[in-house]
Amino acid sequence: METLRFDRHRRLRQTANLRAMVRETHLHVDDLIYPIFVVEGSGVKREVPSMPGIYQFSLDRLNEEMDEVVQLGIKSLIVFGVPAEKDEVGSQAYCEHGIVQRAIRQMKENYPDIVVIADTCLCEYTSHGHCGVVENEQVLNDPSLELLVKTAVSQAKAGADIIAPSNMMDGFVAAIRRGLDEAGFINVPIMSYAIKYASAFYGPFRDAADSAPQFGDRKTYQMDPANRREAFREAESDVREGADFLMVKPALSYLDIIRDIKNHFHLPIVAYNVSGEYSMVKAAAQNGWINEKDIVMEMLISMKRAGADLIMTYFAKDAARWLNE
């Protein structure tokens, strides 16, 4: 033993305060973005069966959720709309009196300080469930851009602080940026779902947003999970076109991509901790197989460590409670 030389790494792990002193990565309530689903009707607070603890709210009950979000110190949320009627071109997505537009107005009127992010897509509003205009079962890129611009402008008019296009059409950032600028919204940022993989982890969200495609899948416009270099091409395009944030979705299986994007681009990076990641943890916790709090906090810190500046997560309220303890 006298000649054995090695490093004493455990010296810095002896107590909780010492570990906190040398901790390299931190998670704050300010890092969290909470998703909210709004539906038509009245008196609705309906739990999503595949997402325990996540609800759809009608506007007359929305303030109940907003009060809790604000009380927990969460400062930003993203709103998804579930319209009562759908059609081929998703007209409720850009209707002045659409469910999301009304929800945004209500949020900003009652909670002016909270940052309201509008998801800009068509899949919740189209009868076929795809994120654009469909012809002969093909999703058409350029005609879809016109509708996405109308949607973004209508959301900005309603008061959205940030536009978050999630449709993965080529040129969507350029088109929306020009549309917002021409409508006088030059100061409304774009949080681009720049790197969105065609993932099986989205299943529960499609229950929550009633947005499952009625034929085929989304692999012609969302990315192949096997591809890494393609993420750079997608991000470079969006940066060039005027994006203000870059998002990677999903998060857990794509931590390598989050780190790659963080290393190469200087915009704020957002990780979307998606519905399937949420539901798996909830299901395991309800069966007593895992410690939910420890698992969730470890997951979220892994996203921060990978390079995320912000995390969009259904665990936002739970995490805020735990961080505030």
Side-chain angles (χ1 to χ4, degrees):
M1 288 293 291
E2 291 181 357
T3 59
L4 186 61
R5 295 180 59 83
F6 55 88
D7 296 326
R8 295 283 181 184
H9 300 292
R10 293 179 58 191
R11 289 188 188 118
L12 299 183
R13 303 173 192 152
Q14 297 305 304
T15 68
N17 284 343
L18 187 53
R19 291 192 293 274
M21 180 184 290
V22 299
R23 188 161 294 139
E24 300 173 21
T25 306
H26 297 271
L27 178 69
H28 304 288
V29 176
D30 289 352
D31 302 329
L32 305 172
I33 302 171
Y34 184 53
I36 289 183
F37 298 91
V38 292
V39 298
E40 303 280 4
S42 61
V44 178
K45 180 182 178 183
R46 183 166 50 232
E47 189 171 35
V48 179
S50 55
M51 300 180 71
I54 300 298
Y55 296 82
Q56 296 174 328
F57 292 93
S58 55
L59 298 187
D60 61 330
R61 299 199 62 178
L62 178 60
N63 286 7
E64 298 173 23
E65 184 76 340
M66 293 295 295
D67 286 344
E68 189 176 356
V69 167
V70 171
Q71 190 175 29
L72 288 167
I74 296 170
K75 295 184 174 63
S76 59
L77 58 86
I78 182 165
V79 58
F80 297 93
V82 185
E85 297 180 2
K86 304 185 180 202
D87 57 30
E88 286 288 307
V89 292
S91 56
Q92 286 299 305
Y94 41 87
C95 175
E96 182 182 353
H97 304 294
I99 182 64
V100 158
Q101 286 78 4
R102 283 182 285 142
I104 293 170
R105 287 190 197 96
Q106 180 174 322
M107 290 172 174
K108 294 307 296 184
E109 181 178 342
N110 293 288
Y111 309 89
D113 294 333
I114 202 156
V115 177
V116 176
I117 304 167
D119 177 75
T120 304
C121 197
L122 299 174
C123 59
E124 301 110 290
Y125 306 91
T126 54
S127 51
H128 45 71
H130 280 284
C131 305
V133 175
V134 170
E135 188 174 291
N136 298 324
E137 297 199 352
Q138 298 293 316
V139 180
L140 305 181
N141 194 88
D142 295 11
S144 300
L145 298 180
E146 298 176 23
L147 303 185
L148 293 167
V149 171
K150 292 172 66 175
T151 303
V153 171
S154 73
Q155 293 168 337
K157 284 181 179 176
D161 297 293
I162 298 174
I163 299 299
S166 60
N167 49 86
M168 288 296 282
M169 295 298 113
D170 290 336
F172 67 117
V173 173
I176 288 173
R177 184 69 272 160
R178 186 173 68 180
L180 290 172
D181 291 351
E182 289 178 351
F185 298 107
I186 60 172
N187 290 321
V188 173
I190 295 176
M191 179 182 286
S192 173
Y193 287 60
I195 300 151
K196 182 177 180 179
Y197 286 92
S199 171
F201 285 101
Y202 304 150
F205 174 90
R206 291 168 185 169
D207 291 340
D210 189 23
S211 63
Q214 299 303 300
F215 64 88
D217 52 41
R218 294 179 176 138
K219 293 180 180 177
T220 65
Y221 46 103
Q222 296 178 359
M223 287 175 55
D224 184 339
N227 290 355
R228 187 172 183 174
R229 287 177 298 171
E230 187 182 12
F232 290 97
R233 298 200 294 275
E234 290 283 356
E236 285 168 354
S237 295
D238 286 5
V239 171
R240 193 166 54 243
E241 293 172 15
D244 299 281
F245 302 80
L246 295 174
M247 187 188 299
V248 177
K249 179 183 180 183
L252 272 183
S253 293
Y254 300 87
L255 296 177
D256 58 329
I257 305 299
I258 294 172
R259 172 46 58 187
D260 282 346
I261 298 303
K262 180 73 169 185
N263 286 346
H264 286 83
F265 298 94
H266 300 300
L267 296 180
I269 306 299
V270 185
Y272 196 154
N273 176 209
V274 300
S275 58
E277 298 165 348
Y278 173 87
S279 297
M280 289 192 299
V281 171
K282 282 289 181 183
Q286 288 183 348
N287 280 286
W289 298 335
I290 59 172
N291 180 310
E292 181 179 358
K293 175 184 174 182
D294 289 351
I295 289 278
V296 170
M297 299 308 278
E298 188 173 335
M299 284 169 43
L300 298 179
I301 207 71
S302 77
M303 296 167 203
K304 288 293 302 283
R305 195 182 63 245
D309 298 290
L310 299 164
I311 303 173
M312 194 174 289
T313 176
Y314 302 95
F315 287 115
K317 290 198 305 182
D318 294 327
R321 284 191 200 95
W322 295 325
L323 288 168
N324 290 329
E325 285 177 350

Coordinates of all heavy atoms in Angstrom, one line a residue, residues 36-46 55-66 82 99 102-103 106-107:
I36 N -49.8 22.8 -21.7 CA -51.2 22.8 -21.3 C -52.1 22.5 -22.5 O -51.9 23.1 -23.6 CB -51.6 24.2 -20.7 CG1 -50.9 24.3 -19.3 CG2 -53.1 24.3 -20.5 CD1 -51.3 25.6 -18.5
F37 N -53.1 21.7 -22.3 CA -54.1 21.4 -23.4 C -55.4 22.0 -23.1 O -56.0 21.9 -22.0 CB -54.3 19.8 -23.5 CG -53.0 19.1 -23.8 CD1 -52.2 18.6 -22.8 CD2 -52.6 18.9 -25.1 CE1 -51.0 17.9 -23.1 CE2 -51.5 18.2 -25.4 CZ -50.7 17.7 -24.4
V38 N -55.9 22.7 -24.1 CA -57.2 23.4 -24.0 C -58.2 22.8 -25.0 O -57.9 22.5 -26.1 CB -57.1 24.9 -24.1 CG1 -56.3 25.5 -23.0 CG2 -56.5 25.3 -25.5
V39 N -59.5 22.7 -24.5 CA -60.5 22.1 -25.4 C -61.8 23.0 -25.3 O -61.9 23.8 -24.4 CB -60.9 20.7 -24.8 CG1 -59.7 19.7 -24.9 CG2 -61.5 20.7 -23.4
E40 N -62.6 22.8 -26.3 CA -63.9 23.5 -26.3 C -64.8 22.9 -25.2 O -64.6 21.9 -24.7 CB -64.6 23.2 -27.7 CG -63.7 23.7 -28.9 CD -63.8 25.2 -29.1 OE1 -64.5 25.9 -28.3 OE2 -63.2 25.6 -30.1
G41 N -65.9 23.6 -25.0 CA -66.9 23.2 -24.0 C -66.8 23.9 -22.7 O -66.1 25.0 -22.6
S42 N -67.5 23.5 -21.7 CA -67.5 24.1 -20.4 C -67.4 23.1 -19.3 O -67.9 21.9 -19.4 CB -68.7 25.0 -20.2 OG -69.9 24.2 -20.3
G43 N -66.8 23.4 -18.2 CA -66.7 22.5 -17.0 C -65.8 21.4 -17.2 O -65.9 20.4 -16.5
V44 N -64.9 21.4 -18.2 CA -64.1 20.3 -18.6 C -62.8 20.3 -17.9 O -62.0 21.3 -18.0 CB -63.9 20.2 -20.1 CG1 -63.0 19.0 -20.4 CG2 -65.2 20.1 -20.8
K45 N -62.5 19.3 -17.1 CA -61.1 19.0 -16.6 C -61.0 17.5 -16.7 O -61.4 16.8 -15.8 CB -60.9 19.5 -15.1 CG -59.5 19.2 -14.6 CD -59.3 19.6 -13.2 CE -57.8 19.2 -12.8 NZ -57.6 19.5 -11.3
R46 N -60.5 17.1 -17.8 CA -60.5 15.7 -18.2 C -59.1 15.1 -18.2 O -58.2 15.6 -19.0 CB -61.2 15.5 -19.6 CG -61.3 14.1 -20.0 CD -62.3 14.1 -21.2 NE -62.0 15.0 -22.3 CZ -62.8 15.9 -22.8 NH1 -64.1 15.9 -22.4 NH2 -62.5 16.7 -23.8
Y55 N -54.2 17.0 -17.8 CA -55.6 17.2 -18.1 C -55.8 18.1 -19.3 O -55.0 18.9 -19.7 CB -56.3 17.9 -16.9 CG -56.2 17.0 -15.6 CD1 -55.1 17.0 -14.8 CD2 -57.3 16.2 -15.3 CE1 -55.1 16.2 -13.7 CE2 -57.3 15.5 -14.1 CZ -56.2 15.5 -13.3 OH -56.1 14.7 -12.2
Q56 N -57.0 17.9 -19.9 CA -57.5 18.8 -20.9 C -58.4 19.8 -20.1 O -59.2 19.3 -19.3 CB -58.3 18.1 -22.0 CG -57.4 17.2 -22.8 CD -58.3 16.4 -23.8 OE1 -59.5 16.1 -23.5 NE2 -57.8 16.1 -24.9
F57 N -58.3 21.1 -20.4 CA -59.1 22.1 -19.7 C -60.0 22.9 -20.7 O -59.5 23.3 -21.8 CB -58.2 23.1 -19.0 CG -57.5 22.5 -17.8 CD1 -56.2 22.0 -18.0 CD2 -58.1 22.4 -16.6 CE1 -55.5 21.4 -16.9 CE2 -57.4 21.9 -15.5 CZ -56.1 21.4 -15.7
S58 N -61.3 23.1 -20.4 CA -62.0 24.1 -21.1 C -61.7 25.4 -20.5 O -61.1 25.5 -19.4 CB -63.5 23.8 -20.9 OG -63.9 23.7 -19.6
L59 N -62.0 26.5 -21.2 CA -61.5 27.8 -20.8 C -62.0 28.3 -19.5 O -61.4 29.0 -18.8 CB -61.8 28.8 -21.9 CG -61.1 28.5 -23.3 CD1 -61.4 29.7 -24.3 CD2 -59.6 28.2 -23.2
D60 N -63.3 27.8 -19.2 CA -63.8 28.3 -17.9 C -63.1 27.6 -16.7 O -63.3 28.1 -15.5 CB -65.3 28.0 -17.8 CG -65.7 26.6 -18.0 OD1 -64.9 25.8 -18.7 OD2 -66.7 26.1 -17.4
R61 N -62.3 26.6 -16.9 CA -61.6 26.0 -15.8 C -60.1 26.1 -16.0 O -59.3 25.6 -15.2 CB -61.9 24.5 -15.7 CG -63.4 24.3 -15.4 CD -63.7 22.9 -14.9 NE -63.0 22.7 -13.6 CZ -63.1 21.5 -12.9 NH1 -63.9 20.6 -13.4 NH2 -62.5 21.4 -11.8
L62 N -59.7 26.8 -17.0 CA -58.2 27.0 -17.3 C -57.5 27.8 -16.2 O -56.4 27.4 -15.9 CB -58.1 27.7 -18.6 CG -56.6 28.0 -19.1 CD1 -55.8 26.7 -19.2 CD2 -56.7 28.8 -20.4
N63 N -58.2 28.7 -15.6 CA -57.5 29.5 -14.6 C -57.2 28.7 -13.3 O -56.2 29.1 -12.6 CB -58.4 30.7 -14.2 CG -58.4 31.8 -15.2 OD1 -57.9 31.6 -16.3 ND2 -59.1 32.9 -14.9
E64 N -57.9 27.6 -13.1 CA -57.5 26.8 -12.0 C -56.1 26.3 -12.2 O -55.3 26.3 -11.2 CB -58.4 25.5 -11.9 CG -59.9 25.9 -11.6 CD -60.8 24.6 -11.7 OE1 -60.3 23.5 -11.6 OE2 -62.0 24.8 -12.0
E65 N -55.8 25.8 -13.4 CA -54.5 25.3 -13.7 C -53.4 26.4 -13.7 O -52.3 26.3 -13.2 CB -54.5 24.6 -15.1 CG -53.2 23.9 -15.5 CD -52.9 22.6 -14.8 OE1 -53.5 22.4 -13.7 OE2 -52.1 21.8 -15.3
M66 N -53.8 27.6 -14.3 CA -52.9 28.7 -14.4 C -52.5 29.2 -13.0 O -51.4 29.5 -12.7 CB -53.5 29.8 -15.2 CG -53.8 29.5 -16.7 SD -52.2 29.2 -17.6 CE -51.5 30.9 -17.4
V82 N -57.2 21.7 -28.8 CA -58.0 20.5 -29.3 C -59.4 21.1 -29.7 O -60.2 21.3 -28.9 CB -58.2 19.4 -28.3 CG1 -58.8 18.2 -28.9 CG2 -56.8 19.0 -27.7
I99 N -59.8 27.8 -30.5 CA -59.6 27.5 -29.1 C -58.3 28.0 -28.5 O -58.2 28.6 -27.4 CB -59.8 26.0 -28.8 CG1 -59.7 25.7 -27.3 CG2 -58.8 25.2 -29.6 CD1 -60.8 26.3 -26.5
R102 N -58.3 32.0 -28.3 CA -59.0 32.4 -27.1 C -58.3 32.1 -25.8 O -58.3 32.9 -24.9 CB -60.4 31.8 -27.1 CG -61.4 32.4 -28.1 CD -62.8 31.8 -28.0 NE -62.8 30.5 -28.6 CZ -63.4 29.4 -28.2 NH1 -64.1 29.5 -27.1 NH2 -63.4 28.3 -28.9
A103 N -57.7 30.9 -25.8 CA -56.9 30.6 -24.6 C -55.7 31.6 -24.3 O -55.5 32.0 -23.2 CB -56.4 29.2 -24.7
Q106 N -57.0 34.8 -23.0 CA -57.3 34.7 -21.6 C -56.1 34.6 -20.7 O -56.1 35.2 -19.6 CB -58.2 33.4 -21.4 CG -58.7 33.2 -20.0 CD -59.6 32.0 -19.9 OE1 -60.5 31.8 -20.8 NE2 -59.5 31.2 -18.8
M107 N -55.1 33.9 -21.1 CA -53.9 33.8 -20.3 C -53.2 35.1 -20.1 O -52.8 35.5 -19.0 CB -52.9 32.8 -21.0 CG -53.4 31.3 -20.9 SD -52.3 30.3 -21.9 CE -52.9 28.7 -21.6

